[in-house]
Amino acid sequence: MPADLLATPDLLRSVFRRHAAGVAVITARGEAGPVGFTATSLSSVSAEPPLVSFGVGTGASSWPAIAAADHVGVHILGEHQQELAATFARSGADRFGPPTVWREGPEGVPVLDGVIAWLVGRVVARVPAGDHRLVLAEVVHGDPTGTGRPLLYHQGRFQRLGD
């Protein structure tokens, strides 16, 4: 078998650069204040009960708060929020400082303003998955009424949805 087809972290990254994914920001209340990160691993798991999942690296700065949180926020970003997505993806950024606009939402979870939709979920499981954890959360609150088109991530860049 050719070496370029052997399973490696680089192969996985290369393949998934070709997979367009919606962009979300996951938030939680931490002991030292709000935490959050940009995620493209968000998935709807079940409608009954309403469950979502996302992955988070155990080495991520947000992981300790996510590991201890009872509830998390899930925010679907619009194409007008590329800079917000970049801020929450950047290591060491002041993610909740200006120009980020947010408020304390249900269950004390930080809720970002201006997103096209958001959910608050009660964490029901954290499943080990390599150097990540898959977090399962049961949706308990949400708002789908934001406006705009979704932001995508493809080929290592934030993208707008084509017609």
Side-chain angles (χ1 to χ4, degrees):
M1 181 172 287
D4 63 341
L5 299 179
L6 294 176
T8 65
D10 287 340
L11 173 65
L12 185 67
R13 287 183 197 102
S14 293
V15 167
F16 272 87
R17 278 189 192 102
R18 298 178 184 276
H19 174 69
V23 180
V25 168
I26 308 299
T27 62
R29 182 178 51 199
E31 283 187 22
V35 300
F37 64 95
T38 300
T40 57
S41 61
L42 179 65
S43 185
S44 170
V45 174
S46 169
E48 192 58 45
L51 294 172
V52 297
S53 72
F54 59 87
V56 57
T58 56
S61 61
S62 298
W63 170 241
I66 300 292
D70 292 329
H71 292 84
V72 293
V74 175
H75 306 81
I76 308 301
L77 300 191
E79 62 186 10
H80 63 287
Q81 295 178 303
Q82 290 185 25
E83 187 54 42
L84 183 68
T87 297
F88 275 83
R90 194 169 28 251
S91 181
D94 181 5
R95 296 172 179 161
F96 289 90
T100 302
V101 180
W102 65 280
R103 65 190 183 283
E104 185 174 310
E107 311 299 336
V109 172
V111 172
L112 302 174
D113 286 351
V115 297
I116 61 176
W118 61 266
L119 300 168
V120 168
R122 181 179 58 82
V123 175
V124 296
R126 294 172 187 88
V127 181
D131 61 355
H132 278 60
R133 294 296 181 268
L134 293 178
V135 178
L136 290 168
E138 183 175 3
V139 175
V140 293
H141 301 281
D143 183 355
T145 62
T147 59
R149 293 164 52 116
L151 180 62
L152 300 179
Y153 190 72
H154 181 249
Q155 293 289 11
R157 302 183 357 209
F158 296 115
Q159 307 266 347
R160 295 174 185 262
L161 184 64
D163 290 328

